[in-house]
Amino acid sequence: MDNPFSEKFFNSCRRRLQIVVYGKRKGRICDIEKEFNLLAIVILSRGKCGLAKCVTRYLVAMAMADLMVVITHVILHRINIMYFPKSFLFMTPVCIVNFVAYIVTVDCSIWFTVAFTFDRFVAICCQKLQSKYCTEKTATIVVVTVFVVSCLRTVPFYYMNEPAFIIDNVPWNCVPTAAYLTSPLWKVFEWIDSVMTPLLPILLILLFNALTVRHIRVANRVRKGLRSIGENQNDLEVKNRRKSMILLFTVSANFTILWMVYLVHSVNWPVINFYYTGKYYSNPIYITQQVAIMLQLLSSCTNTCIYGLTQKKFREELKNGMKYLFTLNGILC
């Protein structure tokens, strides 16, 4: 006689398996994100990269948030579905907590990036405010505030799901409630959520970077006008500003491109049944949804990667760390 628990559980999990797109590829993405974010946290925490303390605080917070995105969603959710379909993580309370934790970490990852972008905008464009705002204390307050607000904002998500079934008085799995799929209030909430994440952050990042680049260009023209031709050719200040412009454009383009598909999906289909059945494999909405999620997860490592690898001292610390690992491996072996 078939085990009713296994049959019901696997029938429920089959719907959830639709959200997995090429598990091996996602596993590779997970490995890259996890390893780089761990390296970034360790290297930046040492404080030897020549960065201001407030910058280091923001970058460490971003790396930690991105790492938690990988842990909560890729490892505890997607990989768990593929390889451990009968895990305790599928108990409804645990499932809901993991779901909410994922939303909190994504919110933190995005808004830490916005906070860091604003910090650089103030440092470059607002000289009078720089000494008061661009400090380690302010960065700590901003990071804590973003985390607390993200936690409070996700309270409604606790009531979005319900158990898929109950066996021996134990609720298993979590699926959207009927009210979530049909209620106008939930539709309004989803639209607001789509604006808060990621539409508003994208607009703010583009705005701050555009203002920063404009300020740098104006300052460069003034500086060139005050210096001779020979001095302009070897002006290190202008070269540093040019590098800053390239970095800002790269970060803005990277963040916008990787989140744009998710933004299009969330705006066009704000409330939709996430748990498709097999017939939806070729559905354009389903494909868009899965591509959006995969690009969103990929963005969990690229920002820190860009910020880190463009810093010379960060690369030097990374090389020293790799040399140390190889030397230690040679000694142990």
Side-chain angles (χ1 to χ4, degrees), residues 69-98:
V69 171
V70 175
I71 293 174
T72 57
H73 193 67
V74 180
I75 297 177
L76 296 182
H77 181 63
R78 292 179 176 269
I79 293 179
N80 182 57
I81 288 176
M82 289 187 289
Y83 299 109
F84 308 101
K86 297 176 67 174
S87 166
F88 75 95
L89 294 172
F90 283 106
M91 295 176 64
T92 301
V94 180
C95 176
I96 292 176
V97 169
N98 185 53

PDB file of all heavy atoms in Angstrom, residues 69-98:
ATOM      1  N   VAL A  69      20.605  36.085   0.872  1.00  0.00           N
ATOM      2  CA  VAL A  69      19.689  35.781  -0.236  1.00  0.00           C
ATOM      3  C   VAL A  69      19.991  34.399  -0.790  1.00  0.00           C
ATOM      4  O   VAL A  69      19.089  33.592  -1.047  1.00  0.00           O
ATOM      5  CB  VAL A  69      19.804  36.848  -1.348  1.00  0.00           C
ATOM      6  CG1 VAL A  69      19.031  36.408  -2.592  1.00  0.00           C
ATOM      7  CG2 VAL A  69      19.279  38.186  -0.864  1.00  0.00           C
ATOM      8  N   VAL A  70      21.285  34.117  -0.970  1.00  0.00           N
ATOM      9  CA  VAL A  70      21.692  32.802  -1.482  1.00  0.00           C
ATOM     10  C   VAL A  70      21.291  31.694  -0.511  1.00  0.00           C
ATOM     11  O   VAL A  70      20.767  30.642  -0.909  1.00  0.00           O
ATOM     12  CB  VAL A  70      23.217  32.771  -1.727  1.00  0.00           C
ATOM     13  CG1 VAL A  70      23.669  31.376  -2.153  1.00  0.00           C
ATOM     14  CG2 VAL A  70      23.596  33.789  -2.791  1.00  0.00           C
ATOM     15  N   ILE A  71      21.507  31.923   0.780  1.00  0.00           N
ATOM     16  CA  ILE A  71      21.204  30.890   1.777  1.00  0.00           C
ATOM     17  C   ILE A  71      19.704  30.644   1.881  1.00  0.00           C
ATOM     18  O   ILE A  71      19.241  29.498   1.832  1.00  0.00           O
ATOM     19  CB  ILE A  71      21.784  31.285   3.151  1.00  0.00           C
ATOM     20  CG1 ILE A  71      23.316  31.270   3.105  1.00  0.00           C
ATOM     21  CG2 ILE A  71      21.283  30.333   4.246  1.00  0.00           C
ATOM     22  CD1 ILE A  71      23.977  31.778   4.359  1.00  0.00           C
ATOM     23  N   THR A  72      18.911  31.721   2.014  1.00  0.00           N
ATOM     24  CA  THR A  72      17.481  31.554   2.263  1.00  0.00           C
ATOM     25  C   THR A  72      16.726  31.057   1.041  1.00  0.00           C
ATOM     26  O   THR A  72      15.790  30.263   1.169  1.00  0.00           O
ATOM     27  CB  THR A  72      16.852  32.882   2.732  1.00  0.00           C
ATOM     28  OG1 THR A  72      17.097  33.899   1.747  1.00  0.00           O
ATOM     29  CG2 THR A  72      17.430  33.304   4.067  1.00  0.00           C
ATOM     30  N   HIS A  73      17.114  31.515  -0.145  1.00  0.00           N
ATOM     31  CA  HIS A  73      16.315  31.159  -1.322  1.00  0.00           C
ATOM     32  C   HIS A  73      16.918  30.036  -2.151  1.00  0.00           C
ATOM     33  O   HIS A  73      16.219  29.105  -2.529  1.00  0.00           O
ATOM     34  CB  HIS A  73      16.119  32.387  -2.208  1.00  0.00           C
ATOM     35  CG  HIS A  73      15.078  32.192  -3.262  1.00  0.00           C
ATOM     36  ND1 HIS A  73      13.742  32.030  -2.968  1.00  0.00           N
ATOM     37  CD2 HIS A  73      15.169  32.113  -4.613  1.00  0.00           C
ATOM     38  CE1 HIS A  73      13.049  31.863  -4.087  1.00  0.00           C
ATOM     39  NE2 HIS A  73      13.890  31.913  -5.095  1.00  0.00           N
ATOM     40  N   VAL A  74      18.205  30.128  -2.432  1.00  0.00           N
ATOM     41  CA  VAL A  74      18.818  29.112  -3.298  1.00  0.00           C
ATOM     42  C   VAL A  74      19.052  27.816  -2.536  1.00  0.00           C
ATOM     43  O   VAL A  74      18.655  26.737  -2.984  1.00  0.00           O
ATOM     44  CB  VAL A  74      20.144  29.638  -3.889  1.00  0.00           C
ATOM     45  CG1 VAL A  74      20.775  28.574  -4.781  1.00  0.00           C
ATOM     46  CG2 VAL A  74      19.903  30.915  -4.688  1.00  0.00           C
ATOM     47  N   ILE A  75      19.694  27.901  -1.361  1.00  0.00           N
ATOM     48  CA  ILE A  75      20.053  26.689  -0.624  1.00  0.00           C
ATOM     49  C   ILE A  75      18.857  26.101   0.117  1.00  0.00           C
ATOM     50  O   ILE A  75      18.516  24.921  -0.049  1.00  0.00           O
ATOM     51  CB  ILE A  75      21.203  26.983   0.364  1.00  0.00           C
ATOM     52  CG1 ILE A  75      22.459  27.414  -0.408  1.00  0.00           C
ATOM     53  CG2 ILE A  75      21.503  25.752   1.221  1.00  0.00           C
ATOM     54  CD1 ILE A  75      23.618  27.802   0.473  1.00  0.00           C
ATOM     55  N   LEU A  76      18.196  26.921   0.955  1.00  0.00           N
ATOM     56  CA  LEU A  76      17.124  26.399   1.790  1.00  0.00           C
ATOM     57  C   LEU A  76      15.808  26.204   1.032  1.00  0.00           C
ATOM     58  O   LEU A  76      14.908  25.531   1.543  1.00  0.00           O
ATOM     59  CB  LEU A  76      16.875  27.337   2.977  1.00  0.00           C
ATOM     60  CG  LEU A  76      18.030  27.492   3.957  1.00  0.00           C
ATOM     61  CD1 LEU A  76      17.639  28.406   5.102  1.00  0.00           C
ATOM     62  CD2 LEU A  76      18.479  26.133   4.496  1.00  0.00           C
ATOM     63  N   HIS A  77      15.686  26.769  -0.157  1.00  0.00           N
ATOM     64  CA  HIS A  77      14.431  26.638  -0.891  1.00  0.00           C
ATOM     65  C   HIS A  77      14.595  25.821  -2.171  1.00  0.00           C
ATOM     66  O   HIS A  77      14.081  24.717  -2.276  1.00  0.00           O
ATOM     67  CB  HIS A  77      13.861  28.019  -1.210  1.00  0.00           C
ATOM     68  CG  HIS A  77      12.560  27.977  -1.948  1.00  0.00           C
ATOM     69  ND1 HIS A  77      11.422  27.426  -1.413  1.00  0.00           N
ATOM     70  CD2 HIS A  77      12.221  28.400  -3.188  1.00  0.00           C
ATOM     71  CE1 HIS A  77      10.430  27.515  -2.281  1.00  0.00           C
ATOM     72  NE2 HIS A  77      10.899  28.112  -3.369  1.00  0.00           N
ATOM     73  N   ARG A  78      15.334  26.331  -3.126  1.00  0.00           N
ATOM     74  CA  ARG A  78      15.392  25.674  -4.431  1.00  0.00           C
ATOM     75  C   ARG A  78      16.184  24.368  -4.395  1.00  0.00           C
ATOM     76  O   ARG A  78      15.724  23.349  -4.896  1.00  0.00           O
ATOM     77  CB  ARG A  78      15.967  26.642  -5.468  1.00  0.00           C
ATOM     78  CG  ARG A  78      15.028  27.788  -5.746  1.00  0.00           C
ATOM     79  CD  ARG A  78      15.602  28.767  -6.742  1.00  0.00           C
ATOM     80  NE  ARG A  78      14.608  29.802  -7.029  1.00  0.00           N
ATOM     81  CZ  ARG A  78      13.713  29.750  -8.009  1.00  0.00           C
ATOM     82  NH1 ARG A  78      13.677  28.688  -8.802  1.00  0.00           N
ATOM     83  NH2 ARG A  78      12.846  30.720  -8.202  1.00  0.00           N
ATOM     84  N   ILE A  79      17.369  24.399  -3.821  1.00  0.00           N
ATOM     85  CA  ILE A  79      18.149  23.163  -3.737  1.00  0.00           C
ATOM     86  C   ILE A  79      17.460  22.170  -2.817  1.00  0.00           C
ATOM     87  O   ILE A  79      17.477  20.949  -3.066  1.00  0.00           O
ATOM     88  CB  ILE A  79      19.586  23.481  -3.254  1.00  0.00           C
ATOM     89  CG1 ILE A  79      20.322  24.287  -4.326  1.00  0.00           C
ATOM     90  CG2 ILE A  79      20.346  22.195  -2.931  1.00  0.00           C
ATOM     91  CD1 ILE A  79      21.728  24.674  -3.944  1.00  0.00           C
ATOM     92  N   ASN A  80      16.824  22.670  -1.767  1.00  0.00           N
ATOM     93  CA  ASN A  80      16.090  21.793  -0.858  1.00  0.00           C
ATOM     94  C   ASN A  80      14.952  21.074  -1.579  1.00  0.00           C
ATOM     95  O   ASN A  80      14.694  19.889  -1.339  1.00  0.00           O
ATOM     96  CB  ASN A  80      15.533  22.617   0.303  1.00  0.00           C
ATOM     97  CG  ASN A  80      14.800  21.765   1.314  1.00  0.00           C
ATOM     98  OD1 ASN A  80      15.355  20.822   1.864  1.00  0.00           O
ATOM     99  ND2 ASN A  80      13.540  22.077   1.557  1.00  0.00           N
ATOM    100  N   ILE A  81      14.270  21.768  -2.475  1.00  0.00           N
ATOM    101  CA  ILE A  81      13.185  21.151  -3.246  1.00  0.00           C
ATOM    102  C   ILE A  81      13.715  20.015  -4.110  1.00  0.00           C
ATOM    103  O   ILE A  81      13.107  18.944  -4.205  1.00  0.00           O
ATOM    104  CB  ILE A  81      12.488  22.203  -4.129  1.00  0.00           C
ATOM    105  CG1 ILE A  81      11.652  23.145  -3.261  1.00  0.00           C
ATOM    106  CG2 ILE A  81      11.597  21.546  -5.172  1.00  0.00           C
ATOM    107  CD1 ILE A  81      11.001  24.261  -4.040  1.00  0.00           C
ATOM    108  N   MET A  82      14.866  20.234  -4.723  1.00  0.00           N
ATOM    109  CA  MET A  82      15.397  19.245  -5.662  1.00  0.00           C
ATOM    110  C   MET A  82      15.952  18.008  -4.973  1.00  0.00           C
ATOM    111  O   MET A  82      15.772  16.887  -5.450  1.00  0.00           O
ATOM    112  CB  MET A  82      16.492  19.891  -6.530  1.00  0.00           C
ATOM    113  CG  MET A  82      15.961  20.896  -7.536  1.00  0.00           C
ATOM    114  SD  MET A  82      17.269  21.464  -8.647  1.00  0.00           S
ATOM    115  CE  MET A  82      18.240  22.470  -7.529  1.00  0.00           C
ATOM    116  N   TYR A  83      16.635  18.199  -3.850  1.00  0.00           N
ATOM    117  CA  TYR A  83      17.383  17.090  -3.262  1.00  0.00           C
ATOM    118  C   TYR A  83      16.837  16.589  -1.922  1.00  0.00           C
ATOM    119  O   TYR A  83      17.167  15.481  -1.508  1.00  0.00           O
ATOM    120  CB  TYR A  83      18.848  17.505  -3.087  1.00  0.00           C
ATOM    121  CG  TYR A  83      19.527  17.856  -4.387  1.00  0.00           C
ATOM    122  CD1 TYR A  83      19.856  19.172  -4.695  1.00  0.00           C
ATOM    123  CD2 TYR A  83      19.808  16.862  -5.334  1.00  0.00           C
ATOM    124  CE1 TYR A  83      20.463  19.499  -5.893  1.00  0.00           C
ATOM    125  CE2 TYR A  83      20.420  17.181  -6.536  1.00  0.00           C
ATOM    126  CZ  TYR A  83      20.743  18.492  -6.816  1.00  0.00           C
ATOM    127  OH  TYR A  83      21.333  18.813  -8.000  1.00  0.00           O
ATOM    128  N   PHE A  84      16.045  17.416  -1.232  1.00  0.00           N
ATOM    129  CA  PHE A  84      15.514  16.995   0.070  1.00  0.00           C
ATOM    130  C   PHE A  84      14.015  17.301   0.154  1.00  0.00           C
ATOM    131  O   PHE A  84      13.579  18.129   0.960  1.00  0.00           O
ATOM    132  CB  PHE A  84      16.265  17.709   1.209  1.00  0.00           C
ATOM    133  CG  PHE A  84      17.754  17.590   1.116  1.00  0.00           C
ATOM    134  CD1 PHE A  84      18.515  18.641   0.629  1.00  0.00           C
ATOM    135  CD2 PHE A  84      18.395  16.419   1.502  1.00  0.00           C
ATOM    136  CE1 PHE A  84      19.897  18.537   0.533  1.00  0.00           C
ATOM    137  CE2 PHE A  84      19.768  16.307   1.418  1.00  0.00           C
ATOM    138  CZ  PHE A  84      20.522  17.365   0.927  1.00  0.00           C
ATOM    139  N   PRO A  85      13.198  16.641  -0.664  1.00  0.00           N
ATOM    140  CA  PRO A  85      11.772  16.988  -0.750  1.00  0.00           C
ATOM    141  C   PRO A  85      10.958  16.631   0.485  1.00  0.00           C
ATOM    142  O   PRO A  85       9.806  17.032   0.585  1.00  0.00           O
ATOM    143  CB  PRO A  85      11.303  16.186  -1.966  1.00  0.00           C
ATOM    144  CG  PRO A  85      12.240  15.033  -2.042  1.00  0.00           C
ATOM    145  CD  PRO A  85      13.575  15.561  -1.591  1.00  0.00           C
ATOM    146  N   LYS A  86      11.520  15.881   1.427  1.00  0.00           N
ATOM    147  CA  LYS A  86      10.776  15.522   2.641  1.00  0.00           C
ATOM    148  C   LYS A  86      11.410  16.137   3.885  1.00  0.00           C
ATOM    149  O   LYS A  86      11.273  15.634   4.983  1.00  0.00           O
ATOM    150  CB  LYS A  86      10.704  14.001   2.776  1.00  0.00           C
ATOM    151  CG  LYS A  86       9.949  13.330   1.638  1.00  0.00           C
ATOM    152  CD  LYS A  86       9.970  11.818   1.734  1.00  0.00           C
ATOM    153  CE  LYS A  86       9.201  11.320   2.916  1.00  0.00           C
ATOM    154  NZ  LYS A  86       9.095   9.848   2.938  1.00  0.00           N
ATOM    155  N   SER A  87      12.106  17.261   3.693  1.00  0.00           N
ATOM    156  CA  SER A  87      12.794  17.922   4.797  1.00  0.00           C
ATOM    157  C   SER A  87      11.804  18.632   5.716  1.00  0.00           C
ATOM    158  O   SER A  87      10.699  18.998   5.317  1.00  0.00           O
ATOM    159  CB  SER A  87      13.809  18.917   4.237  1.00  0.00           C
ATOM    160  OG  SER A  87      14.270  19.792   5.238  1.00  0.00           O
ATOM    161  N   PHE A  88      12.229  18.849   6.967  1.00  0.00           N
ATOM    162  CA  PHE A  88      11.406  19.598   7.922  1.00  0.00           C
ATOM    163  C   PHE A  88      11.211  21.043   7.463  1.00  0.00           C
ATOM    164  O   PHE A  88      10.319  21.748   7.940  1.00  0.00           O
ATOM    165  CB  PHE A  88      12.067  19.577   9.300  1.00  0.00           C
ATOM    166  CG  PHE A  88      13.264  20.494   9.418  1.00  0.00           C
ATOM    167  CD1 PHE A  88      13.124  21.778   9.919  1.00  0.00           C
ATOM    168  CD2 PHE A  88      14.524  20.065   9.019  1.00  0.00           C
ATOM    169  CE1 PHE A  88      14.215  22.625  10.030  1.00  0.00           C
ATOM    170  CE2 PHE A  88      15.614  20.899   9.121  1.00  0.00           C
ATOM    171  CZ  PHE A  88      15.466  22.185   9.634  1.00  0.00           C
ATOM    172  N   LEU A  89      12.033  21.500   6.520  1.00  0.00           N
ATOM    173  CA  LEU A  89      11.893  22.856   6.013  1.00  0.00           C
ATOM    174  C   LEU A  89      10.580  23.061   5.267  1.00  0.00           C
ATOM    175  O   LEU A  89      10.189  24.198   4.989  1.00  0.00           O
ATOM    176  CB  LEU A  89      13.066  23.194   5.080  1.00  0.00           C
ATOM    177  CG  LEU A  89      14.449  23.277   5.739  1.00  0.00           C
ATOM    178  CD1 LEU A  89      15.530  23.430   4.704  1.00  0.00           C
ATOM    179  CD2 LEU A  89      14.493  24.430   6.734  1.00  0.00           C
ATOM    180  N   PHE A  90       9.894  21.957   4.930  1.00  0.00           N
ATOM    181  CA  PHE A  90       8.609  22.067   4.251  1.00  0.00           C
ATOM    182  C   PHE A  90       7.442  22.154   5.222  1.00  0.00           C
ATOM    183  O   PHE A  90       6.288  22.263   4.786  1.00  0.00           O
ATOM    184  CB  PHE A  90       8.396  20.880   3.304  1.00  0.00           C
ATOM    185  CG  PHE A  90       9.171  21.002   2.033  1.00  0.00           C
ATOM    186  CD1 PHE A  90      10.290  20.223   1.813  1.00  0.00           C
ATOM    187  CD2 PHE A  90       8.799  21.909   1.054  1.00  0.00           C
ATOM    188  CE1 PHE A  90      11.008  20.334   0.640  1.00  0.00           C
ATOM    189  CE2 PHE A  90       9.509  22.028  -0.118  1.00  0.00           C
ATOM    190  CZ  PHE A  90      10.627  21.239  -0.339  1.00  0.00           C
ATOM    191  N   MET A  91       7.708  22.087   6.528  1.00  0.00           N
ATOM    192  CA  MET A  91       6.642  22.334   7.489  1.00  0.00           C
ATOM    193  C   MET A  91       6.188  23.789   7.341  1.00  0.00           C
ATOM    194  O   MET A  91       7.017  24.683   7.169  1.00  0.00           O
ATOM    195  CB  MET A  91       7.127  22.059   8.912  1.00  0.00           C
ATOM    196  CG  MET A  91       7.471  20.592   9.155  1.00  0.00           C
ATOM    197  SD  MET A  91       8.167  20.302  10.802  1.00  0.00           S
ATOM    198  CE  MET A  91       6.773  20.772  11.824  1.00  0.00           C
ATOM    199  N   THR A  92       4.898  24.018   7.359  1.00  0.00           N
ATOM    200  CA  THR A  92       4.346  25.332   7.015  1.00  0.00           C
ATOM    201  C   THR A  92       4.972  26.486   7.794  1.00  0.00           C
ATOM    202  O   THR A  92       5.360  27.501   7.183  1.00  0.00           O
ATOM    203  CB  THR A  92       2.820  25.326   7.210  1.00  0.00           C
ATOM    204  OG1 THR A  92       2.254  24.317   6.377  1.00  0.00           O
ATOM    205  CG2 THR A  92       2.224  26.676   6.837  1.00  0.00           C
ATOM    206  N   PRO A  93       5.103  26.427   9.119  1.00  0.00           N
ATOM    207  CA  PRO A  93       5.715  27.561   9.840  1.00  0.00           C
ATOM    208  C   PRO A  93       7.141  27.855   9.364  1.00  0.00           C
ATOM    209  O   PRO A  93       7.520  29.025   9.186  1.00  0.00           O
ATOM    210  CB  PRO A  93       5.699  27.110  11.302  1.00  0.00           C
ATOM    211  CG  PRO A  93       4.610  26.090  11.376  1.00  0.00           C
ATOM    212  CD  PRO A  93       4.640  25.384  10.064  1.00  0.00           C
ATOM    213  N   VAL A  94       7.928  26.798   9.149  1.00  0.00           N
ATOM    214  CA  VAL A  94       9.308  26.986   8.696  1.00  0.00           C
ATOM    215  C   VAL A  94       9.325  27.531   7.276  1.00  0.00           C
ATOM    216  O   VAL A  94      10.118  28.427   6.937  1.00  0.00           O
ATOM    217  CB  VAL A  94      10.086  25.654   8.766  1.00  0.00           C
ATOM    218  CG1 VAL A  94      11.519  25.847   8.303  1.00  0.00           C
ATOM    219  CG2 VAL A  94      10.052  25.095  10.184  1.00  0.00           C
ATOM    220  N   CYS A  95       8.443  27.000   6.442  1.00  0.00           N
ATOM    221  CA  CYS A  95       8.345  27.446   5.048  1.00  0.00           C
ATOM    222  C   CYS A  95       8.013  28.929   4.972  1.00  0.00           C
ATOM    223  O   CYS A  95       8.618  29.683   4.198  1.00  0.00           O
ATOM    224  CB  CYS A  95       7.280  26.617   4.326  1.00  0.00           C
ATOM    225  SG  CYS A  95       6.966  27.112   2.619  1.00  0.00           S
ATOM    226  N   ILE A  96       7.058  29.375   5.776  1.00  0.00           N
ATOM    227  CA  ILE A  96       6.654  30.787   5.760  1.00  0.00           C
ATOM    228  C   ILE A  96       7.769  31.685   6.283  1.00  0.00           C
ATOM    229  O   ILE A  96       8.044  32.746   5.714  1.00  0.00           O
ATOM    230  CB  ILE A  96       5.369  30.973   6.595  1.00  0.00           C
ATOM    231  CG1 ILE A  96       4.186  30.284   5.895  1.00  0.00           C
ATOM    232  CG2 ILE A  96       5.071  32.453   6.800  1.00  0.00           C
ATOM    233  CD1 ILE A  96       2.892  30.332   6.694  1.00  0.00           C
ATOM    234  N   VAL A  97       8.431  31.262   7.360  1.00  0.00           N
ATOM    235  CA  VAL A  97       9.538  32.057   7.913  1.00  0.00           C
ATOM    236  C   VAL A  97      10.662  32.190   6.886  1.00  0.00           C
ATOM    237  O   VAL A  97      11.235  33.279   6.706  1.00  0.00           O
ATOM    238  CB  VAL A  97      10.062  31.427   9.217  1.00  0.00           C
ATOM    239  CG1 VAL A  97      11.367  32.079   9.644  1.00  0.00           C
ATOM    240  CG2 VAL A  97       9.029  31.556  10.329  1.00  0.00           C
ATOM    241  N   ASN A  98      10.978  31.110   6.192  1.00  0.00           N
ATOM    242  CA  ASN A  98      12.022  31.151   5.172  1.00  0.00           C
ATOM    243  C   ASN A  98      11.627  32.071   4.017  1.00  0.00           C
ATOM    244  O   ASN A  98      12.451  32.820   3.489  1.00  0.00           O
ATOM    245  CB  ASN A  98      12.300  29.742   4.649  1.00  0.00           C
ATOM    246  CG  ASN A  98      13.452  29.709   3.674  1.00  0.00           C
ATOM    247  OD1 ASN A  98      14.550  30.181   3.959  1.00  0.00           O
ATOM    248  ND2 ASN A  98      13.202  29.160   2.492  1.00  0.00           N
TER     249      ASN A  98
END
